[in-house]
Amino acid sequence: MKKTLRIFFKLIAVFLAFIVLYILSAYTLSKITIDQEPNTKPEVEIFILTNGVHTDIVMPTKSTQIDWSKYVSFQNTKAADSTYTYIAMGWGDKGFYLETPEWSDLKASVAFKAATGLSTTAIHATYYKRMKIGDDCRSIMISEEQYRRLILYITESFQKDDLGNFLPIKTDANYSKTDAFYEANGSYSIINTCNSWANGALKASGQKCCFWTPMDSGIFSKYK
């Protein structure tokens, strides 16, 4: 019995130590700033957008480099409205996206899979007609070459069929009339979160970002 208790308390101590180390790492590494590439030409306007927890990358629906609506069809949204001029992309745990509309709906099995990287992932794409700058939305000017890298980063996050088409997820768990979900590559975990993905998008396109962050606050602290 005593041996069992010792093992139990050791496991609790290891778990608590991991939590403390995780929090300290998240705080410390998110404070380390990777600066924007020098001599950046302000040719394309993108945005970072947060709902208070999750960061999206927002881009023009159509540009000289890509027409996102050819890959993320308006017809896959309930509105099916082709007049929307911006598209927001976010990557995350598929279970969280589709099974957890509210925190009160969170299941232990979904949380465990998400934390440990055992579940699949999805891209959440949302169309907007306009962007409103504020504490939850920041504008970033990047060059066309940097935008090319951002496009590559995002398109490589999508699963594709043999013809290169993105794979929409058929679901009624949409958040609005202008969004849709797509199958994604990669595994979500407490190390590789939705905000880590967004931070990686900024890093890939040569923009100011964190060394690493699992939180949206780390990203937005660079754009006050």
Side-chain angles (χ1 to χ4, degrees), residues 175-191:
Y175 296 173
S176 69
K177 292 183 178 181
T178 64
D179 71 324
F181 293 96
Y182 292 80
E183 300 287 356
N185 292 316
S187 297
Y188 185 99
S189 70
I190 59 174
I191 304 300

Side-chain angles (χ1 to χ4, degrees), residues 58-116:
V58 187
M59 300 158 291
T61 300
K62 298 178 181 180
S63 69
T64 57
Q65 291 170 281
I66 191 169
D67 179 353
W68 284 109
S69 66
K70 291 182 178 180
Y71 303 91
V72 182
S73 174
F74 290 113
Q75 300 305 315
N76 289 331
T77 68
K78 291 180 180 179
D81 186 341
S82 63
T83 64
Y84 285 78
T85 52
Y86 294 100
I87 185 169
M89 301 277 199
W91 174 96
D93 179 78
K94 189 175 178 180
F96 267 125
Y97 273 141
L98 303 183
E99 301 177 39
T100 316
E102 303 289 342
W103 283 110
S104 58
D105 299 313
L106 180 61
K107 300 175 183 177
S109 58
V110 171
F112 177 78
K113 287 181 179 179
T116 56

Side-chain angles (χ1 to χ4, degrees), residues 14 28 69-70 72 99 103 135 147 150 209-212:
V14 169
T28 303
S69 66
K70 291 182 178 180
V72 182
E99 301 177 39
W103 283 110
D135 291 340
Y147 189 40
L150 178 62
C209 59
C210 305
F211 182 82
W212 172 76

